[in-house]
Amino acid sequence: PPLTLAQRLDGLREPDNGPGSSKMQTTLGALRGLAATGAETGAARHGPTSAARLTTPRPGLSGRHGSSRAVVVRSSAAEELAQRRLDKKAEKRSLRQVQMPEFNETLKQAGLELIQRSPTPETLQINIGLTCNLACHHCHVESSPGKQETMSHEVAEKLVRLVEGCPSIKTVDITGGAPEMHPEFRFLVKSFREMGKDVIDRCNLTILETEGHEETAQFLATNGVKIVASMPCYTPKNVTAQRGDGVFDDSITALQKLNALGYGTDPQLTLDLVYNPVAGFLPPPQGSLEADYKRELEKHFGIVFNSLFAITNMPIKRFADDLLRDGLLQEYMDLLVEAFNPATTKTVMCVNQVHVNWAGVFSDCDFNMALNLPIARSGEPLTVFDIDSLDEIPAKVVTDRHCFGCTAGSGSSCGGEVV
């Protein structure tokens, strides 16, 4: 029988979630970036007790080898090894191994048109880089403290010019990683706010309590930045399971700090929270869950916020690893396919947004970026340096099997339910 809402929130589908359990994961930190310098890194363990406390891998001591040729050979070998590991991991995670229909064929059978982007998209989503102070179980881009990908000032400046010339863009949605950790974050925020654009910071909350970022909350408030904050539950158990020890307490403290600055009460300072399921099930109805969040957070912590976004976990990267390890990937994809809702295809986020990553490569969404499915032109990934206007971006949306995640049930987007 289906679980009740209370059972879902208590995480009863994920009982084996402690240190040393099958829910522990192993990740490789920044292999591709480190390989170029001959670096070697061990697998970093992360789970409920250490997800928030990964350390940055150190470069290898290439100077010991005594000659530049030895360093080059070692670097090349490390790069090849890193690529083989990445390819093997991608193959293991691929949804091609799952017995399921193709997404576009499902659209055709339902009498629906293939998904196309609006000629006047209103949102530009920017993944500014993968460096993060956390390494959460559900993270579809595998952010961590060890990741080194970040946006250059050259890319940031080009984005500002492109948005300046595109009046249809009303909102700039900045994600990561932890966006606030990246050098170009404040430049982008100030530039877009000066244009009168709405700016969203996808914040993990704990960064606001991290050394060196004590004034970040005030910066966000001063610039009228909207905050969309990760908060998987209003109780410590599920937050710890998904994001690590200490994260719940830091998140509560950060929310209280934001409330003190006017977030959640001042109409100009919007504070929205995000719920992700802790296991392989769809989110409960967003409206009733929001009411639960508001009641419990205000009752126990005096916290107020504007809206809750319930977002389906995508079968990508770390969450895919969880499903594979537990033998649940086929079952989860069956759930998404069975819950396919034709009505969601008109309002999924890729219809009204374009996405760009730290390197300036365009995608339809953060999920496509994570799966290396860029927007292409003439067979090559389209970058900010290939265009003079956002109007030049093709309208065709790249879809694949993971798209069932955004079209299941009430649908899912970076703004929660879509129908």
Side-chain angles (χ1 to χ4, degrees), residues 90-378:
E91 182 180 356
K92 182 181 179 182
R93 294 164 164 171
S94 174
L95 296 181
R96 291 288 139 198
Q97 66 186 293
V98 178
Q99 294 182 354
M100 61 182 294
E102 298 299 332
F103 184 75
N104 281 350
E105 285 301 314
T106 300
L107 295 182
K108 291 177 182 178
Q109 290 175 11
L112 301 170
E113 296 180 355
L114 300 184
I115 296 175
Q116 298 276 319
R117 187 176 6 266
S118 164
T120 55
E122 296 184 352
T123 299
L124 173 68
Q125 185 171 68
I126 301 173
N127 189 310
I128 195 171
L130 300 185
T131 306
C132 188
N133 60 315
L134 302 179
C136 301
H137 278 292
H138 67 293
C139 183
H140 63 273
V141 295
E142 293 187 302
S143 294
S144 77
K147 291 296 179 73
Q148 299 177 344
E149 295 88 341
T150 193
M151 182 172 287
S152 69
H153 188 64
E154 184 182 19
V155 172
E157 281 190 319
K158 178 67 173 181
L159 281 174
V160 169
R161 293 198 297 272
L162 287 171
V163 171
E164 203 167 25
C166 187
S168 73
I169 296 294
K170 309 298 182 187
T171 300
V172 178
D173 182 347
I174 308 178
T175 186
E180 308 86 354
M181 294 179 70
H182 293 264
E184 296 304 316
F185 176 72
R186 295 196 177 204
F187 167 74
L188 290 174
V189 167
K190 290 179 179 179
S191 298
F192 293 131
R193 289 300 291 144
E194 286 172 2
M195 292 182 206
K197 308 296 184 183
D198 289 335
V199 174
I200 295 172
D201 173 30
R202 292 197 176 266
C203 181
N204 68 28
L205 292 175
T206 65
I207 191 65
L208 305 180
E209 297 301 305
T210 301
E211 184 178 356
H213 294 274
E214 295 87 353
E215 302 303 318
T216 298
Q218 183 62 65
F219 168 81
L220 296 172
T222 299
N223 287 277
V225 176
K226 297 182 177 183
I227 295 177
V228 176
S230 300
M231 194 66 182
C233 194
Y234 48 75
T235 62
K237 178 181 177 182
N238 286 343
V239 175
T240 300
Q242 196 174 88
R243 304 181 70 204
D245 270 356
V247 172
F248 182 81
D249 290 345
D250 284 349
S251 297
I252 292 297
T253 302
L255 286 170
Q256 292 169 336
K257 176 187 290 187
L258 292 172
N259 277 175
L261 290 169
Y263 274 99
T265 53
D266 185 331
Q268 303 303 314
L269 297 176
T270 302
L271 174 60
D272 298 322
L273 302 185
V274 171
Y275 162 85
N276 292 92
V278 296
F281 53 84
L282 295 177
Q286 185 170 283
S288 59
L289 188 58
E290 177 180 291
D292 290 342
Y293 263 69
K294 286 189 171 182
R295 181 188 66 250
E296 296 299 318
L297 287 176
E298 185 167 19
K299 176 181 177 181
H300 296 289
F301 307 106
I303 290 169
V304 295
F305 65 94
N306 296 99
S307 301
L308 179 77
F309 301 153
I311 299 180
T312 300
N313 283 328
M314 296 297 285
I316 295 173
K317 297 199 172 180
R318 287 190 188 140
F319 186 62
D321 288 342
D322 269 1
L323 295 170
L324 280 165
R325 186 180 51 252
D326 295 342
L328 296 174
L329 182 59
Q330 180 71 60
E331 180 180 327
Y332 188 67
M333 296 312 299
D334 288 344
L335 172 67
L336 298 183
V337 171
E338 290 168 6
F340 173 72
N341 182 352
T344 63
T345 62
K346 301 298 183 184
T347 48
V348 285
M349 59 188 173
C350 54
V351 169
N352 201 34
Q353 79 162 27
V354 65
H355 176 285
V356 65
N357 74 356
W358 58 90
V361 179
F362 287 109
S363 300
D364 299 303
C365 65
D366 212 40
F367 305 128
N368 279 11
M369 183 213 73
L371 291 171
N372 194 26
L373 296 173
I375 295 172
R377 189 168 69 179
S378 301

